[in-house]
Amino acid sequence: MFKLSRMADYGVVVLSRMARAPGEVVTAPELAERTALPQPTVAKTLKLLTRGGLLTSHRGTQGGYSLDRAPAEVTVAEIIAALDGPVALTACVDGSDDNCAVENLCPIRGHWERVNEAVKGALEGVTLADLTAAQEEAAINFGRPAKAPGKTGEPVATDA
């Protein structure tokens, strides 16, 4: 199974919450409360995202964190890279820190790079704005049952 790390998942949650008010400076405790995540985890996530160039840290009594760029300019690939390092599906692709003991004997050595680039390209094609738009749409539709044809009192179109 291919899945994101828990830290990358938390990073997306935290940034999605921050994207609702891009200019706002928020603290780790505030974000922990708003996201229902543990405060130490949020604090660690914020530090990594700042180090990764996605957030700006503000010092002082009115300090906290703010988005460094507009949500439409932040990609999922950047979020993952800031928290987990570069996208590298196997040990033999560029960006991987792992070493493969049988790399020299592997019959598909070098071919995984195409798969890795495809996944990375897909992640680069989705922005924080895309994710928050999906959240807002889900929130609007939450609790509203889907209407079945003919159940609304409107006539159902037929080819008769």
Side-chain angles (χ1 to χ4, degrees), residues 29-96:
E30 289 170 337
L31 280 168
E33 183 178 323
R34 293 176 188 177
T35 61
L37 294 173
Q39 196 272 328
T41 302
V42 171
K44 179 179 179 181
T45 303
L46 292 169
K47 287 178 184 171
L48 291 171
L49 292 169
T50 300
R51 193 175 306 141
L54 300 176
L55 298 177
T56 298
S57 173
H58 304 273
R59 296 181 179 263
T61 57
Q62 301 298 316
Y65 297 86
S66 63
L67 284 174
D68 202 34
R69 291 179 271 156
E73 297 174 4
V74 178
T75 69
V76 173
E78 290 177 295
I79 298 168
I80 293 170
L83 296 166
D84 293 338
V87 175
L89 298 179
T90 64
C92 59
V93 297
D94 288 341
S96 176

Side-chain angles (χ1 to χ4, degrees), residues 26 44 51 56 90 92 104 109 111 118 125 129-130 134 152-153 155 158:
V26 293
K44 179 179 179 181
R51 193 175 306 141
T56 298
T90 64
C92 59
N104 292 334
R109 186 177 108 191
H111 297 286
D130 296 330
T152 61
T158 62

Side-chain angles (χ1 to χ4, degrees), residues 2-11 80 83-84:
F2 173 73
K3 70 179 195 175
L4 293 177
S5 73
R6 191 173 304 258
M7 189 58 72
D9 185 25
Y10 291 158
I80 293 170
L83 296 166
D84 293 338

